[in-house]
Amino acid sequence: MNQHSAAAPVPGHRAPVHPGPVRHAPPRRRSVRRVRAASAATATVLLATGLLAGPAQARSRTDATTGPGAPIGTVARTVGDAHYTPGPCPRTPEPIPELKGARCGTLTVPENRAKPTGKTIELGVAIVPAAGDEPKPDPIVWLAGGPGDDAVGEAKMAIDGGLNRDRDVVFMSQRGTYSARPNVLCPNIDEFNARAVGLVSDAPSTERLHVEATKACRDKLAAEGIDLGAYNDTESAADYEDLRAALGVKQWNLYGISYGTHLALVYMRLHPEGLRSVGIDGILPPAKSGSAATWSSARQGFDGLFKACADQPACHKRYPNLSATFDKLVRDLEAKPVTTTVSLPGSDKPVKVVLDGGTLVNWMTSATHVAPQVPLALDELAHGKPQRIAQQYAGGKLSPAAMGRVAHGLVYGVFCSEWIPYESQAQALRGGREAFPDFPRSVQAQAPQLAFLRPDCEVWNVPAAPPSIRDVTRGDIPTLALSGGFDSQTGADNGPFVARTLDKAKVVTVPYQPHVVFATSKCAQEIAVSFFDDPAAPKTACLKGLKAPQFETGP
């Protein structure tokens, strides 16, 4: 999951963000493989100017073998209200070598399908050809993290992991993201997040400034004529289904990471007929998304890391009760925040950082990505040395990769229409109390990654999505549900949760790994690639040899 605007980004998937009714066109007629809609039992829970990549006419030696006729992505085609046009590759913040030789173009679709004669939007498409000599006919579609990340910008992760070994891999900028036209980025929110490292995280004055930044974003986009209620999972799922039809692909596969799993599960429910198989990694089920689930995920990820330290003799000896140390630090810092200054790479200007209880929780949620450092960092903080944690926290917020790349309009389009209407404030608070009963109430009131989401959504002011957006996804599409044992953003229990209603789901938890295991684990990559070879029997033998990281113990 992408973190809400108040949280630090995680490189690559930023799964480390600032996250009458709209009528939707009726779903396509469903085939025998239909996804049976069923209501969730409860609703308690929940990556500048770019450079063009390689030209569209660049061709791989494998292009001629990707299927009968022209390779996908090289022919203009109109299907219904959607039109695909081959052309230049989408812009990216930095050049991505993995896109050299990609076949590219643009998908044009209605901004709001309830208004088919209204505005249209353009979504950038890049298709990386299969590396093998005999490519399979069914491509893999990469669904990015976020909400708000551009899938094209994540091409390196997908290709480095080997997804294009035997299949083309399709990347499309989800509506509103970096290379889409229009985009709904709002860099002013990123700029506020950078300044906010020097503020008490849950102070009323911080909330006021936070919501002001959100409202300024909304006002700017609305003034540009953006239909803010059309940036959601239902429309995005239809965008991808239109792309499949416009490319002339009979069936394809999905691989979604973080928030991309949320979109994948909606896609599976609304448009199952074109899906051969689906991989979901860092799972965020729409049926339980919200603040309470975010707290539960944090608890699972933190406990996984603390247990791994306790199981490692050197770590246990040096830090005998890491969980209690963390809890005490949260309480102490919330009562008396610590202010320090740090220097960041590439800058001579010192940065003021305020560490309070809420900030420590948000740092920890991302810090499971650098798990070997966590015990030492917490011990240093407990002994009056906050610089390591402060530098990591500020570094994420002030990084160039955190500026002007996240589509905040899509963040709020999803959160404010699909999450907030279906979770009460009391349910959200109860989630914090149940997961971390010893935390101060002020910390429990602001879920990690989702600070001030409710007042943000009040000013965002978009209609609630239909209740069906919270339906569980049912059906027999082969699904690989991947999680990490250290995932503190989307807990590993979400794998079994979605598998309960997916008849052909394989649940795999990769131990000692943080959010989005494909990004960090060679074993996870091997499992994913083998799943697309044979969805009924992914190869998981590599799990047996995995060991916990060697935790740093300091001097």
Side-chain angles (χ1 to χ4, degrees):
M1 182 180 71
N2 201 350
Q3 290 187 328
H4 185 51
S5 60
V10 174
H13 45 89
R14 215 183 30 81
V17 188
H18 193 46
V22 175
R23 294 177 293 112
H24 300 284
R28 287 180 171 80
R29 186 166 169 267
R30 298 180 182 180
S31 63
V32 174
R33 171 182 283 175
R34 63 190 182 91
V35 170
R36 305 182 298 276
S39 296
T42 64
T44 59
V45 277
L46 124 5
L47 170 312
T49 298
L51 300 174
L52 290 180
Q57 62 267 27
R59 296 289 180 261
S60 160
R61 64 186 175 86
T62 63
D63 283 356
T65 63
T66 56
I72 64 169
T74 60
V75 176
R77 184 183 284 111
T78 298
V79 178
D81 294 323
H83 179 72
Y84 176 79
T85 306
C89 286
R91 67 176 192 149
T92 57
E94 298 90 19
I96 300 178
E98 288 74 14
L99 293 177
K100 184 179 180 180
R103 305 186 295 268
C104 297
T106 302
L107 181 73
T108 302
V109 294
E111 183 181 45
N112 187 333
R113 287 177 172 80
K115 306 171 184 177
T117 60
K119 279 180 54 179
T120 60
I121 60 176
E122 297 180 356
L123 311 177
V125 178
I127 303 167
V128 176
D133 291 331
E134 297 181 6
K136 302 295 192 295
D138 47 297
I140 297 171
V141 182
W142 181 271
L143 300 181
D149 290 347
D150 191 327
V152 181
E154 296 180 349
K156 177 177 174 58
M157 189 196 312
I159 303 309
D160 282 355
L163 283 188
N164 72 322
R165 188 189 68 186
D166 299 313
R167 289 176 169 81
D168 293 355
V169 181
V170 179
F171 303 91
M172 183 170 76
S173 51
Q174 189 179 349
R175 54 175 50 214
T177 58
Y178 185 88
S179 63
R181 296 182 183 178
N183 65 51
V184 290
L185 300 185
C186 289
N188 75 293
I189 290 178
D190 305 317
E191 293 162 1
F192 171 75
N193 291 336
R195 295 193 303 272
V197 301
L199 304 176
V200 175
S201 67
D202 56 11
S205 55
T206 303
E207 176 178 353
R208 176 177 56 80
L209 293 169
H210 191 287
V211 175
E212 285 178 0
T214 301
K215 186 175 186 303
C217 170
R218 188 201 192 283
D219 291 349
K220 172 182 176 291
L221 296 177
E224 294 171 0
I226 306 292
D227 184 346
L228 297 173
Y231 289 77
N232 56 55
D233 284 321
T234 302
E235 293 284 2
S236 289
D239 294 340
Y240 280 95
E241 183 65 1
D242 281 347
L243 178 64
R244 183 182 67 83
L247 292 178
V249 175
K250 182 178 179 181
Q251 271 197 333
W252 60 14
N253 310 272
L254 305 180
Y255 195 86
I257 63 166
S258 191
Y259 157 74
T261 68
H262 194 282
L263 176 56
L265 287 161
V266 173
Y267 189 171
M268 291 167 72
R269 184 170 58 81
L270 297 179
H271 309 285
E273 59 274 7
L275 298 177
R276 170 182 175 263
S277 68
V278 177
I280 47 178
D281 176 354
I283 303 164
L284 188 62
K288 57 185 284 194
S289 296
S291 294
T294 303
W295 277 119
S296 173
S297 293
R299 178 84 272 175
Q300 293 174 64
F302 297 175
D303 285 352
L305 190 155
F306 294 150
K307 182 179 186 302
C309 173
D311 290 345
Q312 198 170 102
C315 190
H316 179 64
K317 181 178 180 181
R318 183 70 175 81
Y319 315 110
N321 199 338
L322 198 59
S323 180
T325 297
F326 175 71
D327 286 357
K328 184 176 187 301
L329 282 167
V330 171
R331 294 193 301 270
D332 291 351
L333 289 172
E334 190 68 4
K336 189 177 180 180
V338 168
T339 300
T340 188
T341 58
V342 298
S343 298
L344 300 179
S347 174
D348 296 328
K349 185 178 180 180
V351 176
K352 173 188 172 184
V353 181
V354 175
L355 293 180
D356 55 31
T359 297
L360 186 62
V361 172
N362 277 285
W363 167 81
M364 184 68 179
T365 303
S366 291
T368 49
H369 288 265
V370 290
Q373 299 181 37
V374 167
L376 176 58
L378 291 173
D379 186 69
E380 288 177 343
L381 180 60
H383 288 85
K385 298 178 181 179
Q387 283 73 25
R388 184 191 299 261
I389 288 177
Q391 187 171 46
Q392 288 181 356
Y393 186 70
K397 297 293 192 67
L398 276 70
S399 165
M403 299 293 167
R405 302 189 186 187
V406 178
H408 294 286
L410 180 58
V411 175
Y412 287 125
V414 173
F415 290 174
C416 299
S417 69
E418 302 178 19
W419 294 13
I420 283 293
Y422 298 103
E423 179 181 59
S424 70
Q425 193 164 5
Q427 289 170 327
L429 180 59
R430 185 162 63 245
R433 288 174 170 170
E434 291 177 352
F436 295 94
D438 294 334
F439 281 5
R441 182 187 173 95
S442 55
V443 175
Q444 296 168 341
Q446 302 294 342
Q449 312 176 36
L450 301 176
F452 311 124
L453 182 56
R454 191 167 295 275
D456 279 337
C457 286
E458 289 177 3
V459 300
W460 200 254
N461 191 26
V462 291
S468 60
I469 198 66
R470 306 288 292 193
D471 288 355
V472 297
T473 300
R474 299 181 180 274
D476 63 351
I477 300 171
T479 304
L480 174 66
L482 275 171
S483 300
F486 287 177
D487 190 344
S488 54
Q489 293 168 263
T490 56
D493 67 345
N494 288 333
F497 176 83
V498 298
R500 296 179 312 164
T501 54
L502 295 171
D503 298 343
K504 296 181 180 178
K506 306 290 183 182
V507 178
V508 177
T509 297
V510 184
Y512 318 121
Q513 292 296 320
H515 183 58
V516 181
V517 293
F518 192 89
T520 56
S521 168
K522 187 68 176 176
C523 179
Q525 294 168 2
E526 293 173 1
I527 292 169
V529 172
S530 73
F531 168 75
F532 292 117
D533 282 345
D534 183 358
K539 298 178 180 178
T540 60
C542 59
L543 293 169
K544 296 178 182 178
L546 299 181
K547 298 180 180 179
Q550 190 70 35
F551 291 100
E552 298 179 19
T553 54

